Amino acid sequence: MEKPTLTQIENAFLPAKEIADSERFAGRKDAISDAFYALIAEGTNIAVVGNRGIGKTSLARQITNISSGDNSILEKLGISNDGILDYLSIYLACGNQVSSTEELLERLLTSSTCLVDWIYDVPNAKKVMMSYSPKFTAKVFGVGVELSGSKASEATMAPVLKDHPVDVVFSNVVDAIVKEGVAKNGILIIIDEFDQISNPSGFASFLKALATNSPKVKFCIVGVAKDIQMLMKEHESSDRLFSGSIITMEPMANDELENIIDNAEKFIDNYITFHQAARDKIIQLANGHPYMVHMIGKFSLRAAYQEGKSVITEENIIQTLANIAERKADPVLEGKYRKAVASSPQREIVLRALAKVQDSHNEVWTTNAYKIALDDGVDNSSQYVGQLVSEEYGAEIEKLRERYYRFKDSLFHAYVLARPKMYQQKS
């Protein structure tokens, strides 16, 4: 058995990157099936919602692959199909630089990775753009280029889409591209991190108009939210716009999480393997979140490789968890934990007690949590719960109703359960 390279070891698990390769994509048959049927249904947009670390972006990448004619994930999962799709697929991750619907559409029109090249290459699209906004200029990779093709002489560009509403310009441009026949099925625009748009008002009405005027243009929006209304921040028409194609990413089943470990072992030709007890421990700690499997798996595999071990044990996983916390391998989750706990061992006990009793509906009944905390020496738990819901300590817990609370972020909940204690109890 040939020894893998350090690069192979580092890339067997991918906590920092979505899974684009169908061979390494684990589970999610129902979600893939729902997405495929939405792609072949006329006039249907797609929404992917769920908590952080649950695999939304990896699903979005598979949707991109399917729409572009790659059926390998469908074949892998045994999902029947009668041909390949041919969409012009555009992918955009919003980040925090897009704050409104207008800015989103503007970004799609002006980004070199989105529609800019098609505006240049499709004569009618370019003609539409010039007729609607003669002064329109695009700034691509720091170089100003006018739609006429000549370089701009000024470092400061003229305001983008100055003359007409951006939704009107956008609709006419994509319609021109569709009519050019560049892709048989039309255009699919995938917007990841849609929840980062602080003011998406008007997006629902824009989609409604687009469905009428350009039925071969679909949107797939992806974001952290419990439902489509929360993601779009408006209730009117939201359900109807995504009728039958709202994909809610639930926690992964244990066998799906284990498949992530299988894929990682296969990637390094089983040079290092995980003992079943180690697998069970990772799956228990992940609590349905593929991100946690990737993170714990990555650091345990790295340590085993450096120490010359061929089998990773449950004890190795426990040591890895301590190393992850100590190194602040995930600075966001570790930062949340440290802010919530701060300098109080009692508050840590209460936080961890709340995490232990969260039920299948993601609700925490404080009566159960207080019993655990009392056994660990805290007899005034309500005081610390009051602190944990406050902004001073991160407000990671929120009150639902009398005596019932929940963790706002299910990934943080999983991290609290997995992370070793910061303060050890006195014997």
Side-chain angles (χ1 to χ4, degrees):
M1 186 182 299
E2 187 175 347
K3 184 177 181 179
T5 65
L6 184 57
T7 299
Q8 288 174 300
I9 291 294
E10 283 299 295
N11 290 287
F13 291 97
L14 297 169
K17 185 179 182 297
E18 69 275 5
I19 307 299
D21 182 357
S22 64
E23 278 301 307
R24 302 183 68 184
F25 186 82
R28 300 298 191 192
K29 181 175 181 178
D30 288 344
I32 291 290
S33 179
D34 289 345
F36 172 64
Y37 285 115
L39 286 171
I40 63 176
E42 294 183 6
T44 301
N45 294 293
I46 306 170
V48 180
V49 297
N51 289 311
R52 292 192 315 121
I54 210 74
K56 298 183 300 300
T57 298
S58 292
L59 177 64
R61 288 300 188 184
Q62 298 306 315
I63 293 173
T64 302
N65 293 345
I66 296 168
S67 69
S68 303
D70 180 357
N71 282 356
S72 55
I73 189 63
L74 300 179
E75 293 161 3
K76 176 183 175 181
L77 296 176
I79 298 171
S80 61
N81 60 87
D82 53 6
I84 63 173
L85 295 173
D86 179 26
Y87 279 94
L88 168 59
S89 298
I90 305 294
Y91 179 93
L92 175 67
C94 286
N96 56 11
Q97 298 179 342
V98 179
S99 62
S100 66
T101 297
E102 290 74 18
E103 287 185 12
L104 170 63
L105 298 181
E106 188 174 305
R107 182 84 172 270
L108 288 168
L109 286 169
T110 60
S111 173
S112 61
T113 58
C114 296
L115 292 169
V116 163
D117 289 344
W118 295 101
I119 293 172
Y120 279 98
D121 293 342
V122 176
N124 283 341
K126 182 175 178 180
K127 182 178 178 182
V128 166
M129 184 68 78
M130 293 297 289
S131 65
Y132 270 93
S133 189
K135 296 180 181 180
F136 171 55
T137 55
K139 201 171 186 181
V140 181
F141 297 119
V143 179
V145 181
E146 292 184 351
L147 284 178
S148 63
S150 62
K151 290 186 178 180
S153 59
E154 299 292 334
T156 303
M157 295 291 94
V160 176
L161 307 176
K162 178 180 177 181
D163 303 322
H164 288 268
V166 65
D167 59 329
V168 174
V169 179
F170 182 90
S171 297
N172 282 277
V173 165
V174 293
D175 190 56
I177 295 172
V178 166
K179 288 178 178 175
E180 186 72 12
V182 299
K184 181 180 69 175
N185 295 106
I187 300 175
L188 173 68
I189 301 173
I190 299 177
I191 308 298
D192 202 357
E193 300 177 14
F194 190 88
D195 56 289
Q196 294 292 310
I197 302 175
S198 57
N199 180 24
S201 61
F203 188 73
S205 56
F206 160 74
L207 273 189
K208 188 175 180 181
L210 188 69
T212 301
N213 300 325
S214 301
K216 295 192 77 172
V217 179
K218 286 180 183 285
F219 270 80
C220 171
I221 63 173
V222 183
V224 177
K226 67 177 183 178
D227 55 38
I228 188 62
Q229 289 84 9
M230 178 181 287
L231 183 60
M232 294 184 68
K233 299 188 175 86
E234 55 184 334
H235 294 266
E236 186 179 357
S237 301
S238 294
D239 286 330
R240 190 152 43 91
L241 287 165
F242 298 90
S243 179
S245 56
I246 301 170
I247 302 171
T248 302
M249 299 290 280
E250 301 291 348
M252 290 183 78
N254 288 354
D255 61 331
E256 293 179 322
L257 294 174
E258 189 159 14
N259 190 223
I260 296 173
I261 302 173
D262 293 337
N263 290 342
E265 289 181 344
K266 182 180 178 182
F267 188 76
I268 57 171
D269 293 326
N270 295 304
Y271 184 83
I272 300 173
T273 59
F274 289 78
H275 188 274
Q276 188 58 51
R279 286 168 166 253
D280 293 342
K281 186 66 174 179
I282 292 174
I283 291 166
Q284 173 203 342
L285 294 167
N287 203 27
H289 292 76
Y291 171 80
M292 292 292 287
V293 175
H294 281 283
M295 182 170 68
I296 298 169
K298 181 184 183 71
F299 285 96
S300 60
L301 192 61
R302 179 194 294 176
Y305 186 79
Q306 291 171 340
E307 296 166 14
K309 295 178 178 177
S310 60
V311 178
I312 296 171
T313 66
E314 182 178 1
E315 289 72 23
N316 297 144
I317 299 303
I318 294 170
Q319 182 58 51
T320 295
L321 289 170
N323 292 338
I324 286 172
E326 183 180 343
R327 296 179 184 182
K328 300 180 183 177
D330 188 312
V332 174
L333 290 173
E334 182 63 16
K336 286 183 174 186
Y337 189 90
R338 289 175 180 267
K339 184 171 184 177
V341 171
S343 59
S344 171
Q346 293 83 3
R347 193 162 46 251
E348 181 177 40
I349 288 171
V350 173
L351 175 67
R352 297 172 74 89
L354 293 170
K356 287 177 182 177
V357 302
Q358 181 165 294
D359 63 21
S360 59
H361 300 290
N362 299 325
E363 293 189 353
V364 175
W365 187 32
T366 54
T367 300
N368 289 338
Y370 292 170
K371 289 177 182 177
I372 294 175
L374 184 61
D375 289 341
D376 285 339
V378 179
D379 58 6
N380 56 339
S381 293
S382 60
Q383 172 188 333
Y384 296 105
V385 170
Q387 293 171 357
L388 288 168
V389 300
S390 71
E391 291 296 334
E392 181 180 357
Y393 296 98
E396 295 299 331
I397 310 294
E398 65 178 351
K399 186 173 183 177
L400 299 175
R401 57 192 183 277
E402 193 64 30
R403 297 187 181 181
Y404 283 88
Y405 292 77
R406 77 173 181 93
F407 282 77
K408 290 181 181 178
D409 181 355
S410 64
L411 182 58
F412 178 65
H413 169 250
Y415 189 77
V416 171
L417 290 173
R419 190 199 186 283
K421 288 182 179 179
M422 201 156 69
Y423 297 102
Q424 297 303 318
Q425 287 178 261
K426 295 179 181 179
S427 55

